């Protein structure tokens, strides 16, 4: 693949108490033919994320039309699995509603944090979302007792298919714990209750200690997945894989087709890509340095070869 970077779009400027910095895991949908809505996690001064959105002109995504004044999804109630922040996830159309799969964070005494997956539904066109449950739809299990974070959901053959990051313990880097995780697949008939029989998809490779934020997409009938991997050296960069069935994946990182900039907002890190097809074009929205602390930008696919 070959991507052409089009530039930085948006990062919070601290005008709102709940959105002081960052626009984490940007996740686009086509709201209508004229508007691309990008949901993202905006952080407050304490680093706690709430989900808001940025509306863009579909014919010129550099043009910001609107930024949400209030969170589309706020943090959960005290003591809940999502009381210390929420990030995307995925947003999909189901009938006349939008389903938002999100990752909720909770601080606990004997681990750095816990992160499990919730579901909220919008019936007002995506301006606000209501939780279907105060508990996770993908909770802890023996395969992942700290993290089970859904980042991609497709409806296929009567099933909701989810690809998620699942923990593998903690990596000590300079004496500090960082989560180890890799990618698995789960399925559900109703999008709420997921089958406990899950499958591994992509495992760690080389000196990677984490590989997550799986985003599954199709180009020219071929199924691909973007993900983001990290090393103890501080690398944080996307990878690419392909699959026929969504379960067995072959990494083709050398075909990613995008790289760090020589300077600027995406010169140190490039992460969390998510794609949208609009007006006959394939667009990528992604974070840059420090996992989105400076917001998100976009690129356009020039060639799938």
């Amino acid at each position: 693949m070959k991507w052409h970077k089009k530039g930085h779009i948006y990062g919070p400027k601290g005008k709102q108490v709940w959105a002081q910095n960052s626009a984490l895991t940007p996740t686009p949908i086509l709201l209508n033919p004229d508007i691309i809505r990008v949901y993202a996690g905006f952080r407050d001064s304490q680093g706690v994320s709430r989900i808001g959105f940025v509306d863009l002109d579909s014919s010129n995504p550099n043009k910001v039309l609107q930024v949400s004044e209030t969170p589309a999804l706020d943090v959960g109630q005290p003591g809940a699995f999502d009381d210390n922040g929420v990030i995307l996830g995925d947003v999909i159309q189901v009938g006349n509603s939008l389903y938002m799969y999100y990752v909720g964070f909770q601080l606990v005494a004997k681990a750095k944090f816990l992160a499990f997956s919730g579901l909220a539904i919008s019936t007002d066109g995506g301006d606000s979302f209501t939780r279907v449950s105060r508990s996770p739809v993908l909770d802890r299990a023996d395969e992942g007792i700290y993290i089970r974070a859904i980042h991609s959901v497709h409806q296929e053959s009567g099933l909701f298919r989810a690809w998620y990051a699942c923990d593998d313990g903690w990596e000590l880097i300079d004496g500090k714990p960082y989560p180890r995780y890799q990618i698995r697949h789960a399925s559900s008939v109703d999008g709420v209750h997921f089958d406990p029989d899950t499958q591994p998809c992509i495992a760690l490779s080389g000196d990677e200690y984490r590989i997550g934020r799986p985003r599954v997409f199709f180009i020219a009938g071929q199924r691909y997945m973007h993900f983001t991997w990290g090393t103890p050296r501080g690398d944080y960069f996307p990878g690419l894989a392909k699959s026929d069935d969504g379960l067995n994946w072959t990494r083709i990182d050398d075909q990613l087709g995008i790289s760090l900039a020589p300077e600027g907002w995406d010169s140190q890190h490039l992460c969390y890509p998510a794609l949208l097809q609009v007006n006959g074009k394939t667009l990528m929205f992604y974070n840059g340095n420090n996992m989105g602390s400076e917001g998100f930008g976009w690129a356009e696919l020039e060639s799938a070869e």
Side-chain angles (χ1 to χ4, degrees):
M1 296 187 184
K2 183 178 181 181
W3 294 90
H4 177 215
K5 290 184 177 181
K6 306 291 280 188
H8 182 266
I9 296 176
Y10 176 80
K13 305 299 183 183
K15 294 181 180 179
Q16 298 163 314
V17 173
W18 65 280
Q20 292 293 297
N21 66 80
S22 304
L24 302 165
T25 57
T27 304
I29 65 167
L30 190 61
L31 197 64
N32 60 52
D34 299 319
I35 298 175
I36 297 169
R37 174 162 289 181
V38 181
Y39 291 97
F42 301 161
R43 282 178 167 152
D44 65 18
S45 60
Q46 303 301 309
V48 175
S49 172
R50 295 164 175 83
I51 294 173
F53 58 81
V54 182
D55 286 346
L56 310 174
D57 186 332
S58 64
S59 62
N60 176 19
N62 283 313
K63 183 178 180 181
V64 175
L65 303 176
Q66 178 187 201
V67 179
S68 55
E69 293 291 331
T70 58
L73 184 70
D74 210 329
V75 299
Q77 68 184 63
F81 79 99
D82 51 1
D83 69 353
N84 199 62
V86 289
I87 64 170
L88 274 295
D90 203 357
V91 179
I92 63 171
Q93 186 85 36
V94 181
N96 294 322
S97 301
L98 289 175
Y99 279 33
M100 176 185 286
Y101 292 89
Y102 68 94
V103 182
F105 291 84
Q106 184 177 30
L107 300 183
V108 293
K110 295 187 177 182
K112 190 173 184 179
F113 61 81
L114 304 178
F116 299 112
S117 299
L119 172 62
I121 296 177
S122 175
T123 57
D124 64 3
D127 290 345
S128 64
F129 288 79
T130 301
R131 289 167 170 80
V132 301
S133 172
R134 291 178 294 179
S135 59
V137 296
L138 199 66
D139 205 342
R140 71 178 67 211
D142 282 347
E143 70 187 36
I145 62 171
Y146 306 110
I147 300 170
R148 295 178 83 211
I150 292 175
H151 284 289
S152 194
V153 178
H154 285 203
Q155 293 176 270
E156 298 180 25
S157 302
L159 292 175
F160 290 77
R161 302 187 66 187
W163 291 266
Y164 64 100
C166 184
D167 81 80
D168 187 30
W170 303 87
E171 182 88 2
L172 285 178
I173 302 175
D174 295 330
K176 297 180 180 179
Y178 291 83
R180 295 175 57 90
Y181 46 81
Q182 49 196 299
I183 295 169
R184 296 182 70 94
H185 170 274
S187 62
S188 169
V189 173
D190 60 6
V192 179
H193 305 93
F194 284 86
D195 192 326
D197 182 17
T198 67
Q199 293 89 16
C201 290
I202 302 181
L204 300 169
S205 176
D207 62 350
E208 297 167 353
Y209 73 94
R210 55 184 176 180
I211 174 172
R213 178 58 169 168
R215 294 290 301 176
V216 175
F217 60 97
F218 288 87
I219 292 180
Q222 174 68 61
R223 187 194 305 265
Y224 295 94
M225 179 197 290
H226 278 135
F227 48 85
T228 299
W229 52 265
T231 72
R233 299 188 306 273
D235 302 308
Y236 210 53
F237 198 70
L240 182 66
K242 64 180 180 180
S243 173
D244 292 328
D245 60 7
L247 298 176
N248 301 287
W249 294 85
T250 301
R251 287 183 68 159
I252 51 171
D253 291 20
D254 60 330
Q255 299 177 36
L256 178 66
I258 194 169
S259 59
L260 295 173
E263 59 182 9
W265 74 281
D266 60 351
S267 59
Q268 300 172 26
H269 304 114
L270 196 161
C271 53
Y272 308 145
L275 306 192
L276 180 69
Q277 294 182 337
V278 57
N279 298 328
K281 300 177 180 179
T282 300
L283 311 181
M284 173 194 291
F285 297 87
Y286 66 95
N287 283 140
N289 301 341
N290 300 313
M291 301 182 188
S293 65
E294 299 177 47
F296 66 89
W298 69 298
E300 183 178 324
L301 184 66
E302 290 188 343
S303 172
E305 299 298 325

